[in-house]
Amino acid sequence: MASTIFLPGEQVPSEVLPRSKKGTLTLGPGLRHIPPATVLATTLGSLHIDHKKAALWLEHENGRYQPAVGDLVIAQIHHSSVDTWHCSLTPHTSLALLNQLAFESASRKNRPNLKSGDLVYARVSRCSKWDDVEIEGFNSATGKAEGMGPLKGGMAFGISPAFARRLMMGTGKDGLAKGGVVVLDEVGEKVKFEVAVGRNGRVWVDSGSVKTTITVGRLLQSADEEKWDVERQRKEVKKALRDV
Amino acid sequence: MPREQEPSTNEHDFVLSALQENLRLDSRPFQQFRPISLAFGDEYGVADVRIGKTRVLAKVSCEVTAPYTDRKFDGIFTISTELSPMGSPAFEVGRQDQTELLLSRLLEKAIRRSGALDTESLCIIAGAKCFHLRADLHVLDHDGNLVDASCLALIAALLHFRRPDVEVRGEEVTVFSIREREPVRLTIQHLPFCVTFSYYNTSSTTSAEPGIFLQDATLLEEQCRDGEIVISMNRFGEVCQIAKYGGTPVDGLSLLTCTNAALETAKRFDKLVKEKLAEDEKVKDRGGLMAELSAENERPMEPPPG
């Protein structure tokens, strides 16, 4: 899919706007509707269109993470108050709240003992412009952890939010990674490791050995910074795994 | 938010356990620097140093003022450091924090007090007029090892700088602009370079293992360290200053090992600065003095009218 780059203030041509049966459009981040029928870009980014949902949005590489409900994030405990932990999602922004009972099978007597500096894999449960962001360590609808919870050991590597998003896109019907990142799949064929991707630009990697963890982390970071394509990723993974 | 975000416990523990296995996160050897780049500006006295993701810009400028009354034969040399929020969101405007204080004090010790710059040569008329040399350091990006990068940038900028030529006739002083007369280089006596060692106290109480020393630590490695040793040295191995911060004791023998390693690095820095200066000079050289003095303009080749 060839994507068009838009500059702030540029108008999205009406030919490319998707048509839905109801005649409504859904605008995502980076776009603004000016009545009656103008759609303007508010930031620099490439245009993405989902014709099925009649949705369009701009994707950009820069900027810090903005919380949205349902995002999986890696939060760092900052301090604790009566029954919540205050966690930072990104440095130097206001803290998110994590209820101490918002974990799988947590009760007043049995709840995870987290200290300042610990990492938690959590889901954003509430966020609004005017209120503190709230996160939870389990799926509150089902009461199951679904992979979330405190992260013990391992290492958290910093990546760009855009890359984190690409990592989490999963594989499409054709068996190809939608985000164009195959590093984890390729490494996973050879060595064993655990990984948790936070949309706030952090990847937590844990394998038995320090060396493997560093290798995986470095591969992800360089794939992000140097913008490796799929071919390059495969080549680099092969090269890196030779030493492990 | 004034404070740098501390690394998480996972990161902290992982960095330390990796060091125990002789590994760094960017798979560098302990004594190796990240790639260093040094570039000069179009103007005299501008140097831009990058060590990995850390970036420092130094600018040297001068003006004519009256010297201090107790130092009539000396010019004035001041170093000012600025850590702007551009470098890291943890830096605030107008508020000096620990990092900035340590940085400016170290540079002061390493460069000003070691007599790297001959301030007497900045004197124009004793007790009446002298040059005030001012070095501004701007940290544009902070990813650890600010001291080494700033020191390198400052030395490079001082070497690159030329002050305007002056002529004294009795009490009258004429300062010639760059266009009128070739500006004059500063008299630099020696080139001190700072080399920082981050110290990790890995030894248990029983074993006599000296611990781990890292050169050119990244920001994360700096945040996890137990102490740091800054050694300033020129390429002849003359130590200008040694500073040790952060409580933990370091035994004498390791300090000597550090000084030896610092000498290697100082020699490398020295070579780098001289190479880059020569390169820059070659680029700036527009065919010698005669070409500069020529008043002839380049004319478009057009047939005469008529």
Side-chain angles (χ1 to χ4, degrees):
Chain A
M1 180 181 70
S3 54
T4 341
I5 304 283
F6 281 89
L7 297 173
E10 217 172 325
Q11 191 179 339
V12 180
S14 54
E15 309 89 79
V16 306
L17 296 179
R19 269 166 237 286
S20 71
K21 280 173 209 149
K22 278 188 272 174
T24 53
L25 276 177
T26 314
L27 294 185
L31 293 173
R32 189 191 165 92
H33 173 230
I34 292 174
T38 321
V39 178
L40 289 182
T42 58
T43 170
L44 168 72
S46 57
L47 184 70
H48 289 250
I49 301 174
D50 186 334
H51 284 281
K52 228 182 257 166
K53 292 180 189 154
L56 64 164
W57 68 97
L58 283 186
E59 226 158 82
H60 52 97
E61 299 269 301
N62 47 356
R64 97 184 129 76
Y65 168 70
Q66 300 287 350
V69 173
D71 281 353
L72 286 165
V73 292
I74 294 178
Q76 180 178 335
I77 307 283
H78 188 268
H79 64 271
S80 158
S81 63
V82 183
D83 49 20
T84 47
W85 281 302
H86 299 255
C87 320
S88 93
L89 299 181
T90 44
H92 313 293
T93 50
S94 52
L95 301 171
L97 303 176
L98 170 62
N99 193 320
Q100 298 202 351
L101 298 177
F103 289 93
E104 191 186 36
S105 64
S107 61
R108 285 243 160 250
K109 286 188 183 143
N110 173 31
R111 50 184 159 181
N113 178 23
L114 296 173
K115 285 182 198 67
S116 164
D118 286 351
L119 294 180
V120 181
Y121 197 39
R123 191 177 148 271
V124 177
S125 57
R126 220 172 73 178
C127 73
S128 83
K129 249 183 210 170
W130 300 277
D131 216 351
D132 283 337
V133 175
E134 276 179 35
I135 56 177
E136 56 188 16
F138 70 138
N139 188 341
S140 50
T142 59
K144 291 277 182 297
E146 294 178 7
M148 289 180 275
L151 297 172
K152 290 270 179 293
M155 171 72 193
F157 295 92
I159 50 171
S160 69
F163 189 73
R165 210 179 96 79
R166 281 171 58 198
L167 271 176
M168 296 176 86
M169 276 182 189
T171 44
K173 276 177 202 146
D174 48 359
L176 296 172
K178 274 192 214 153
V181 190
V182 294
V183 174
L184 292 178
D185 302 330
E186 291 282 313
V187 179
E189 283 176 15
K190 296 282 185 317
V191 288
K192 198 172 73 179
F193 63 92
E194 268 186 276
V195 69
V197 185
R199 277 292 299 275
N200 54 343
R202 294 182 104 178
V203 190
W204 173 85
V205 183
D206 189 19
S207 70
S209 85
V210 171
K211 197 161 185 191
T212 317
T213 308
I214 291 182
T215 312
V216 177
R218 292 286 303 154
L219 279 170
L220 285 174
Q221 281 182 326
S222 346
D224 176 21
E225 277 163 29
E226 292 162 30
K227 306 210 177 348
W228 290 349
D229 56 3
V230 176
E231 273 314 298
R232 179 87 195 276
Q233 287 172 25
R234 291 216 169 93
K235 224 164 72 188
E236 296 287 340
V237 169
K238 256 184 211 144
K239 211 164 90 189
L241 286 183
R242 233 173 274 153
D243 320 335
V244 177
Chain B
M1 287 224 176
R3 274 180 65 188
E4 192 90 44
Q5 171 155 321
E6 309 243 319
S8 62
T9 359
N10 305 46
E11 288 168 85
H12 186 270
D13 295 347
F14 187 83
V15 168
L16 293 185
S17 59
L19 287 177
Q20 301 262 25
E21 292 186 25
N22 281 341
L23 287 168
R24 286 173 88 165
L25 288 186
D26 39 14
S27 50
R28 266 186 295 157
F30 283 177
Q31 305 297 328
Q32 200 187 56
F33 266 67
R34 291 168 280 179
I36 305 174
S37 94
L38 169 60
F40 294 103
D42 294 332
E43 253 179 283
Y44 285 126
V46 180
D48 179 357
V49 168
R50 291 180 209 210
I51 301 184
K53 280 182 189 161
T54 299
R55 186 175 179 191
V56 179
L57 185 98
K59 162 111 176 98
V60 176
S61 53
C62 75
E63 56 182 1
V64 178
T65 49
Y68 294 130
T69 43
D70 55 336
R71 294 198 158 269
K72 286 180 182 161
F73 301 99
D74 282 339
I76 305 170
F77 175 40
T78 49
I79 303 171
S80 82
T81 45
E82 194 180 302
L83 305 184
S84 69
M86 198 185 350
S88 155
F91 299 147
E92 249 180 312
V93 184
R95 212 182 64 112
Q96 261 210 340
D97 72 334
Q98 194 78 6
T99 340
E100 186 167 356
L101 202 73
L102 285 186
L103 180 63
S104 60
R105 213 191 294 171
L106 268 173
L107 291 174
E108 193 98 333
K109 268 205 286 186
I111 296 178
R112 219 164 75 101
R113 299 243 301 270
S114 76
L117 181 75
D118 177 25
T119 43
E120 276 183 32
S121 69
L122 296 175
C123 178
I124 303 169
I125 298 176
K129 278 189 175 63
C130 73
F131 279 111
H132 178 175
L133 207 66
R134 185 189 158 90
D136 288 284
L137 280 161
H138 301 276
V139 173
L140 304 181
D141 226 332
H142 177 28
D143 188 23
N145 207 9
L146 276 187
V147 175
D148 297 14
S150 313
C151 187
L152 184 61
L154 187 52
I155 288 286
L158 283 175
L159 282 173
H160 189 246
F161 182 69
R162 317 274 170 99
R163 68 167 172 80
D165 198 8
V166 286
E167 198 175 72
V168 185
R169 279 212 188 111
E171 281 292 283
E172 206 170 284
V173 179
T174 334
V175 179
F176 295 100
S177 74
I178 293 183
R179 285 166 179 281
E180 287 169 308
R181 266 199 203 176
E182 189 71 6
V184 189
R185 281 170 204 270
L186 299 173
T187 5
I188 311 275
Q189 323 263 33
H190 66 136
L191 308 180
F193 294 102
C194 293
V195 184
T196 310
F197 293 87
S198 297
Y199 176 64
Y200 299 85
N201 191 4
T202 50
S203 59
S204 54
T205 42
T206 48
S207 75
E209 209 181 298
I212 293 170
F213 289 92
L214 288 190
Q215 276 194 54
D216 189 29
T218 59
L219 186 59
L220 179 62
E221 285 166 341
E222 279 189 1
Q223 286 172 326
C224 300
R225 72 186 166 196
D226 293 310
E228 67 172 322
I229 298 170
V230 186
I231 300 176
S232 305
M233 202 184 239
N234 57 22
R235 79 188 154 106
F236 306 109
E238 293 163 339
V239 177
C240 307
Q241 91 40 61
I242 294 185
K244 185 188 149 293
Y245 299 114
T248 47
V250 174
D251 69 311
L253 199 63
S254 349
L255 206 62
L256 278 178
T257 332
C258 282
T259 355
N260 289 336
L263 178 59
E264 292 304 309
T265 310
K267 277 182 183 161
R268 232 187 95 214
F269 281 167
D270 193 274
K271 212 174 125 206
L272 174 86
V273 169
K274 280 178 183 156
E275 260 171 28
K276 290 286 173 188
L277 267 176
E279 244 171 64
D280 182 69
E281 225 153 273
K282 213 178 260 174
V283 172
K284 290 233 166 73
D285 187 16
R286 270 169 267 136
L289 196 60
M290 286 318 287
E292 294 263 335
L293 285 175
S294 166
E296 198 177 330
N297 292 323
E298 273 184 50
R299 294 202 180 104
M301 297 297 279
E302 267 176 58

